[in-house]
Amino acid sequence: MNELPSAREGDLRAFLDELLRFDTTDGGEGPAQNWLRERFEEFGFDTYEWTADAAALAEHPSFPDDPSEISTADRPSVAGVVELGDPDAGPTLVLNGHVDVVPATRSAWTSDPFDPVWDDDCVTARGAADMKGGLAACVFAARQIAETEAVDGRVVVESVAGEEEGGIGAATAALSNPYPFERDAAIVAEPTELGVVTAVEGSVMKRLRLRGRSAHAATSWRGESVLPHFDRIRRAFEELEAEREKRVDHPLYEEFPTKWPVCFGTVRAGNWASTVPDDLVAELRIGVAPGETVAEVESEFQERLDAVVEESKWLRDHPPTFERFSIQFEAASVSLDAAVVEALGEAVTETGLDATPRGATYGADSRHYQAAGIPTVLFGPGSIEQAHFPDESVDAGEVETASAVLADAAERFLRQ
């Protein structure tokens, strides 16, 4: 690995290298957040910290209804605030990033996922793209804007916990403002390849369960296999997916081969090779378009399931269950006329990059801020194609470019 100076010396690459060394999987954000808070203090930022309330999140539609299923203990979110001029006389812009990362299967990596490997400008480590590179860009953008003169307002750098689990830190910040001031706009530094993303897709997670009747394979006619019933339901959902592809339109999503996918991620049936399978559990993810709600899409698929059930005496007598599980992602979009979108677009264009608004097929914490009335756009270094992948990497030069663009966008926004 290349020799890098200490992050305390102020170098962005060294800062990123040290941040990537924290294993922030499985609720382990605490040590990294403590380190970040110390860096914020060293950089002269005012600091804030909050921890999510599981009971409050259980009332939120994105999260499970049972608070015991939401892990919040020892998972702080932290923020550093730069105040400029007369901060109350100007707007407040949030630069948001999440510090948690998804687990890494070490056998699939060519190196230790939490021991960054540098190859010239490219750094490989878990979270490099999703999204510690973006978080580092936010921190150093705030440091740059702190040196700006004759500007009033605030820039807030947030490092939130639990984004991969529904946005634990961001949802809490949206529901209960942790600051003694209001927030006017936000930029979430997800990996957008330095593009301006103004719409994110939502999803609803559903668990389907079918009941049949077991029998010995030698007398299979005495049983009722769940598999033909599942096949009919699966085909009906695939037909609805195809209908929605034609019917549900959005100008920012025409480039994608499948805009609102239905994915049967797991299917488990039966318990013995010589027994007719009498139980099946399938878990699926259903895409939600910007402009739709999770509840609306959920209702569409429930109606299609009901139609299949109505055609089968067995299913009418033994109705399947079709319930939400895990976390839900509401779709979100921001007006192209929003001041933060215009400021970011101008800063991107100034750098010679393409500022054409785009849509993303993944969900993001932006939805929580949008729901709270805070216009929010996505912009950051790296590619979503690297996210959650083995040997995840990001170009440090792109991180530096993102930081410069974010600083420029922040200044433009504050001056509007």
Side-chain angles (χ1 to χ4, degrees):
M1 186 180 69
N2 297 347
E3 289 294 323
L4 291 166
S6 166
R8 293 174 176 78
E9 295 179 24
D11 181 83
L12 189 155
R13 297 189 184 205
F15 181 95
L16 175 59
D17 180 88
E18 198 159 348
L19 181 58
L20 289 168
R21 294 179 183 277
F22 288 95
D23 182 345
T24 51
T25 58
D26 300 324
E29 297 100 335
Q33 298 290 59
N34 291 337
W35 179 82
L36 276 166
R37 180 163 185 156
E38 291 174 358
R39 301 292 79 71
F40 289 160
E41 291 171 350
E42 288 182 0
F43 296 154
F45 299 175
D46 295 333
T47 58
Y48 295 83
E49 181 174 316
W50 65 97
T51 302
D53 180 353
L57 292 181
E59 299 294 323
H60 191 288
S62 287
F63 296 90
D65 294 335
D66 184 353
S68 67
E69 297 180 19
I70 307 172
S71 172
T72 60
D74 301 318
R75 304 184 71 179
S77 293
V78 299
V81 179
V82 174
E83 296 198 333
L84 301 161
D86 180 357
D88 292 325
T92 294
L93 176 66
V94 175
L95 304 179
N96 169 280
H98 65 83
V99 75
D100 59 304
V101 299
V102 298
T105 303
R106 292 181 181 252
S107 61
W109 285 63
T110 57
S111 59
D112 184 333
F114 297 101
D115 185 8
V117 174
W118 290 80
D119 182 5
D120 293 328
D121 288 341
C122 180
V123 58
T124 298
R126 173 55 88 216
D130 187 21
M131 59 173 292
K132 291 179 178 178
L135 179 54
C138 291
V139 173
F140 278 76
R143 295 195 71 194
Q144 181 176 332
I145 199 70
E147 300 174 2
T148 303
E149 298 180 356
V151 176
D152 296 325
R154 297 181 182 87
V155 174
V156 180
V157 180
E158 288 184 345
S159 174
V160 294
E163 187 272 350
E164 303 288 356
E165 297 170 57
I168 288 171
T172 299
L175 290 169
S176 180
N177 187 353
Y179 312 109
F181 48 80
E182 297 302 317
R183 297 152 294 176
D184 297 289
I187 301 174
V188 176
E190 288 281 2
T192 68
E193 299 177 343
L194 302 181
V196 178
V197 171
T198 58
V200 293
E201 188 171 330
S203 63
V204 55
M205 305 290 282
K206 298 288 287 186
R207 181 179 287 123
L208 171 71
R209 184 158 195 169
L210 302 175
R211 294 288 191 180
R213 182 172 59 221
S214 65
H216 194 289
T219 58
S220 60
W221 58 88
R222 297 180 59 120
E224 183 75 28
S225 173
V226 292
L227 296 179
H229 299 296
F230 174 69
D231 282 342
R232 285 192 291 273
I233 293 169
R234 180 181 56 80
R235 287 197 299 270
F237 281 8
E238 289 175 349
E239 290 170 1
L240 179 53
E241 176 191 47
E243 292 171 18
R244 284 174 46 75
E245 286 294 310
K246 295 178 180 178
R247 171 169 46 85
V248 182
D249 199 15
H250 194 287
L252 299 183
Y253 285 80
E254 294 307 313
E255 65 179 286
F256 299 108
T258 304
K259 301 188 291 293
W260 331 120
V262 178
C263 176
F264 284 87
T266 68
V267 180
R268 299 179 295 276
N271 55 32
W272 193 252
S274 63
T275 300
V276 173
D278 66 343
D279 182 74
L280 181 145
V281 178
E283 295 176 342
L284 57 156
R285 176 198 182 274
I286 302 170
V288 178
E292 296 183 308
T293 68
V294 165
E296 289 169 347
V297 176
E298 185 178 33
S299 178
E300 272 199 78
F301 281 84
Q302 182 65 59
E303 289 176 5
R304 191 58 57 95
L305 174 61
D306 291 344
V308 176
V309 170
E310 184 60 30
E311 295 173 353
S312 165
K313 184 178 185 308
W314 178 268
L315 291 180
R316 290 199 304 271
D317 294 341
H318 306 84
T321 61
F322 192 45
E323 300 173 337
R324 289 188 187 186
F325 77 102
S326 186
I327 55 176
Q328 319 307 320
F329 283 76
E330 292 283 354
S333 61
V334 61
S335 170
L336 302 186
D337 295 331
V340 67
V341 176
E342 293 181 346
L344 178 61
E346 291 169 1
V348 169
T349 300
E350 183 70 21
T351 311
L353 299 168
D354 183 4
T356 304
R358 294 161 32 193
T361 54
Y362 52 83
D365 273 343
S366 57
R367 72 192 193 280
H368 294 304
Y369 297 103
Q370 281 288 122
I374 302 169
T376 305
V377 62
L378 271 62
F379 173 85
S383 170
I384 194 64
E385 294 184 0
Q386 285 288 322
H388 302 195
F389 270 56
D391 290 344
E392 177 183 352
S393 62
V394 74
D395 186 292
E398 194 168 306
V399 177
E400 291 167 339
T401 298
S403 184
V405 170
L406 288 169
D408 186 11
E411 183 174 352
R412 291 172 187 270
F413 177 79
L414 295 179
R415 291 187 185 280
Q416 287 182 345

